[in-house]
Coordinates of all heavy atoms in Angstrom, one line a residue:
Chain K
R227 N 51.4 20.3 -46.1 CA 51.6 19.2 -47.0 C 51.8 19.8 -48.5 O 52.4 19.1 -49.3 CB 50.4 18.3 -47.0 CG 50.7 16.9 -47.4 CD 49.5 15.9 -47.3 NE 48.7 16.2 -46.1 CZ 47.4 15.8 -46.0 NH1 46.8 15.2 -47.1 NH2 46.7 16.0 -45.0
Y228 N 51.2 20.8 -48.8 CA 51.2 21.4 -50.2 C 51.8 22.8 -50.2 O 51.1 23.8 -50.1 CB 49.8 21.5 -50.8 CG 49.1 20.1 -50.8 CD1 48.1 19.9 -49.8 CD2 49.4 19.2 -51.7 CE1 47.4 18.6 -49.8 CE2 48.7 17.9 -51.7 CZ 47.8 17.7 -50.8 OH 47.1 16.5 -50.7
P229 N 53.1 22.8 -50.5 CA 53.8 24.2 -50.4 C 53.3 25.1 -51.5 O 53.3 26.3 -51.4 CB 55.3 23.8 -50.6 CG 55.4 22.4 -50.7 CD 54.0 21.7 -50.6
D230 N 52.8 24.5 -52.6 CA 52.4 25.4 -53.8 C 50.9 25.7 -53.7 O 50.4 26.3 -54.6 CB 52.7 24.7 -55.1 CG 52.2 23.3 -55.2 OD1 51.8 22.8 -54.2 OD2 52.2 22.8 -56.4
L231 N 50.2 25.4 -52.7 CA 48.8 25.7 -52.5 C 48.6 27.2 -52.5 O 49.3 27.9 -51.7 CB 48.4 25.1 -51.1 CG 47.0 25.2 -50.6 CD1 46.7 24.1 -49.6 CD2 46.7 26.5 -49.9
N232 N 47.7 27.7 -53.4 CA 47.5 29.1 -53.4 C 46.0 29.5 -53.4 O 45.7 30.7 -53.7 CB 48.2 29.8 -54.5 CG 47.8 29.2 -55.8 OD1 46.8 28.5 -56.0 ND2 48.7 29.4 -56.9
A233 N 45.1 28.6 -53.2 CA 43.6 28.9 -53.1 C 42.9 27.9 -52.3 O 43.3 26.8 -52.1 CB 43.1 29.0 -54.5
V234 N 41.8 28.3 -51.7 CA 40.9 27.4 -50.9 C 39.4 27.6 -51.2 O 39.0 28.8 -51.4 CB 41.1 27.7 -49.4 CG1 40.2 26.8 -48.6 CG2 42.5 27.5 -48.9
F235 N 38.7 26.5 -51.5 CA 37.2 26.6 -51.5 C 36.7 26.1 -50.2 O 36.7 24.8 -50.0 CB 36.7 26.0 -52.7 CG 35.2 25.9 -52.8 CD1 34.4 27.1 -52.5 CD2 34.5 24.7 -53.0 CE1 33.0 27.0 -52.5 CE2 33.1 24.7 -53.1 CZ 32.4 25.8 -52.8
A236 N 36.2 26.9 -49.3 CA 35.6 26.4 -48.0 C 34.1 26.3 -48.3 O 33.5 27.2 -48.9 CB 36.0 27.4 -46.9
I237 N 33.4 25.4 -47.6 CA 32.1 25.0 -47.8 C 31.1 26.0 -47.3 O 30.0 26.2 -47.8 CB 31.8 23.6 -47.3 CG1 30.6 23.0 -48.1 CG2 31.5 23.6 -45.9 CD1 31.0 22.9 -49.6
N238 N 31.5 26.8 -46.2 CA 30.7 27.8 -45.7 C 31.5 28.9 -45.0 O 32.7 28.7 -44.8 CB 29.5 27.3 -44.8 CG 30.1 26.6 -43.5 OD1 31.2 26.7 -43.3 ND2 29.2 26.0 -42.8
D239 N 30.9 30.0 -44.6 CA 31.6 31.1 -43.9 C 32.3 30.6 -42.7 O 33.5 31.0 -42.5 CB 30.7 32.2 -43.6 CG 30.4 33.1 -44.9 OD1 30.9 32.7 -46.0 OD2 29.7 34.1 -44.7
P240 N 31.7 29.9 -41.8 CA 32.5 29.5 -40.6 C 33.7 28.7 -40.9 O 34.8 29.0 -40.3 CB 31.4 28.6 -39.8 CG 30.1 29.1 -40.2 CD 30.3 29.5 -41.7
N241 N 33.6 27.9 -41.9 CA 34.8 27.1 -42.4 C 35.9 28.1 -42.9 O 37.0 27.9 -42.5 CB 34.4 26.2 -43.6 CG 34.6 24.7 -43.2 OD1 34.5 23.9 -44.1 ND2 34.8 24.4 -41.9
A242 N 35.5 29.1 -43.7 CA 36.4 30.0 -44.2 C 37.1 30.8 -43.1 O 38.3 31.1 -43.2 CB 35.7 31.0 -45.2
L243 N 36.4 31.1 -42.1 CA 37.0 31.9 -41.0 C 38.1 31.0 -40.3 O 39.1 31.5 -39.9 CB 35.9 32.3 -40.0 CG 34.9 33.2 -40.5 CD1 33.8 33.5 -39.4 CD2 35.5 34.5 -41.0
G244 N 37.8 29.7 -40.2 CA 38.9 28.8 -39.7 C 40.1 28.8 -40.6 O 41.3 28.8 -40.1
V245 N 39.9 28.8 -41.9 CA 41.0 28.8 -42.8 C 41.8 30.0 -42.7 O 43.0 30.0 -42.7 CB 40.4 28.7 -44.3 CG1 41.5 28.9 -45.3 CG2 39.8 27.3 -44.5
I246 N 41.1 31.2 -42.6 CA 41.8 32.5 -42.5 C 42.7 32.4 -41.2 O 43.8 32.9 -41.3 CB 40.7 33.6 -42.3 CG1 40.1 33.8 -43.7 CG2 41.4 34.9 -41.9 CD1 38.9 34.7 -43.7
S247 N 42.1 31.9 -40.1 CA 42.9 31.9 -38.9 C 44.1 31.1 -39.0 O 45.2 31.4 -38.5 CB 42.0 31.5 -37.7 OG 42.6 30.5 -36.9
A248 N 44.0 29.9 -39.7 CA 45.1 29.0 -39.8 C 46.2 29.7 -40.7 O 47.4 29.6 -40.4 CB 44.7 27.7 -40.4
L249 N 45.8 30.3 -41.9 CA 46.7 30.9 -42.7 C 47.4 32.2 -42.1 O 48.6 32.4 -42.3 CB 46.0 31.4 -44.0 CG 45.6 30.2 -45.0 CD1 44.7 30.8 -46.0 CD2 46.8 29.6 -45.5
D250 N 46.6 32.8 -41.3 CA 47.1 34.0 -40.6 C 48.3 33.7 -39.7 O 49.3 34.3 -39.7 CB 45.9 34.7 -39.8 CG 46.0 36.2 -39.9 OD1 46.9 36.7 -40.6 OD2 45.1 36.8 -39.4
S251 N 48.0 32.6 -38.9 CA 49.1 32.2 -38.0 C 50.3 31.6 -38.6 O 51.4 31.6 -38.1 CB 48.5 31.3 -36.9 OG 48.1 30.1 -37.5
A252 N 50.2 31.2 -39.9 CA 51.3 30.7 -40.7 C 51.9 31.8 -41.6 O 52.8 31.5 -42.3 CB 50.9 29.5 -41.5
N253 N 51.3 33.0 -41.4 CA 51.8 34.1 -42.2 C 51.7 33.9 -43.7 O 52.5 34.4 -44.5 CB 53.3 34.4 -41.8 CG 53.4 35.8 -41.3 OD1 52.6 36.6 -41.6 ND2 54.5 36.0 -40.6
K254 N 50.6 33.2 -44.1 CA 50.5 32.9 -45.6 C 49.2 33.5 -46.1 O 48.8 33.2 -47.3 CB 50.5 31.4 -45.8 CG 51.8 30.8 -45.6 CD 51.9 29.4 -46.2 CE 53.3 28.9 -46.4 NZ 53.4 27.6 -46.9
L255 N 48.5 34.4 -45.4 CA 47.2 34.8 -45.8 C 47.3 35.6 -47.1 O 46.4 35.4 -48.0 CB 46.6 35.7 -44.7 CG 45.1 36.0 -44.8 CD1 44.4 34.7 -44.9 CD2 44.7 36.7 -43.5
D256 N 48.4 36.3 -47.4 CA 48.4 37.1 -48.6 C 48.7 36.3 -49.8 O 48.6 36.7 -51.0 CB 49.5 38.3 -48.4 CG 50.8 37.7 -47.9 OD1 50.8 36.6 -47.3 OD2 51.8 38.4 -48.1
K257 N 49.2 35.0 -49.6 CA 49.5 34.2 -50.8 C 48.4 33.3 -51.2 O 48.5 32.7 -52.3 CB 50.7 33.3 -50.4 CG 52.0 34.1 -50.2 CD 53.2 33.1 -50.0 CE 54.4 33.8 -49.6 NZ 54.4 34.2 -48.2
V258 N 47.3 33.3 -50.4 CA 46.2 32.3 -50.7 C 44.9 33.1 -50.9 O 44.5 33.9 -50.1 CB 46.1 31.3 -49.6 CG1 44.9 30.3 -49.8 CG2 47.4 30.6 -49.3
T259 N 44.2 32.7 -52.0 CA 42.9 33.3 -52.3 C 41.8 32.3 -51.7 O 41.8 31.2 -52.0 CB 42.6 33.4 -53.8 OG1 43.8 34.0 -54.3 CG2 41.4 34.3 -54.0
I260 N 40.9 32.9 -50.9 CA 39.8 32.0 -50.3 C 38.5 32.4 -50.8 O 38.1 33.6 -50.8 CB 39.8 32.2 -48.7 CG1 41.2 32.0 -48.2 CG2 38.8 31.2 -48.1 CD1 41.4 32.5 -46.7

Side-chain angles (χ1 to χ4, degrees):
Chain K
R227 209 179 319 157
Y228 302 103
D230 52 345
L231 179 158
N232 57 18
V234 178
F235 174 46
I237 206 63
N238 64 9
D239 279 4
N241 245 192
L243 295 177
V245 170
I246 290 171
S247 132
L249 288 170
D250 221 356
S251 60
N253 239 340
K254 287 199 165 175
L255 196 52
D256 50 341
K257 294 189 188 70
V258 180
T259 313
I260 308 163

